[in-house]
Every structure is written in structure tokens, then in C-alpha cells.
Amino acid sequence: MDSDETAAAGESVRVWLVERTYGDDEQNMIILTYATPDGRREFRKERALTSYTGDHRETPVSMPVDPDNLGTVDDAATRERYVTEAERMREKHAPDETL
């Protein structure tokens, strides 16, 4: 198991941006999906397009998350896709960068 995925009591787990989609029911919502490097756990964050201000719409490439806020990814194909995307993000970006 990768050290980014483990967390002692009270510690956060680092997740990486793996997907950005628009909400089905809300045209003004973007759903950001972050996953652990092994693709087994995910964190979803919804943002209104109006929450982006100024010229830049910055999105963190990774973030620390409380393990209690992570969901489980049951689908093997989705896990594999998340692993690939998390790896790509980790290779190209420092943890504190934004897109």
C-alpha cells in the first residue's frame, strides 16, 4: 500500500484529481472526483461554476482528505481508470499545484 493511502487516527489521506464532469441535474455544477493512488477510494466535490472568480478557475490537483469522507470504488474498470489518472497527475504535478 502506498504511503499516500494510509492514515493513522486523525490523519488525512492524499487524493488526486481523476475526473471532472458536469452535473446531470444542474447545468451550473462541476463534479470533481479525487481518488487514492490505488483507485480504491474516492472523494467527490461539487462546485458551482459561479464559485470560480476572476480570470482563473483554479482546481487543486490533489488534496488531503479525512478518511471518513472517502467512498469506496467497487467497479474494477473505474478503479483501473482512477489508478491511471492519479498516476498521470502525480507524475506531472506537485501535490500543491492547481489547474
Side-chain angles (χ1 to χ4, degrees):
M1 187 177 274
D2 189 289
S3 62
D4 283 345
E5 302 163 32
T6 60
E11 290 186 14
S12 60
V13 174
R14 180 152 304 272
V15 292
W16 293 83
L17 182 65
V18 294
E19 187 174 74
R20 285 182 283 190
T21 57
Y22 288 98
D24 291 333
D25 55 348
E26 290 287 331
Q27 295 276 339
N28 291 332
M29 295 298 289
I30 293 177
I31 301 166
L32 303 171
T33 303
Y34 292 82
T36 55
D38 68 358
R40 295 184 179 278
R41 299 169 76 192
E42 69 179 359
F43 174 75
R44 291 185 180 221
K45 183 176 182 177
E46 293 183 358
R47 290 187 65 182
L49 283 174
T50 56
S51 71
Y52 293 99
T53 58
D55 294 335
H56 300 288
R57 296 181 176 187
E58 294 182 348
T59 300
V61 297
S62 75
M63 64 176 54
V65 176
D66 184 313
D68 292 337
N69 291 332
L70 294 173
T72 303
V73 180
D74 296 323
D75 180 66
T78 301
R79 277 195 313 266
E80 186 175 317
R81 185 167 43 89
Y82 286 178
V83 166
T84 300
E85 189 61 21
E87 182 177 308
R88 185 179 77 82
M89 294 298 275
R90 289 173 73 183
E91 289 175 356
K92 290 186 173 189
H93 302 283
D96 61 345
E97 283 187 55
T98 58
L99 298 176

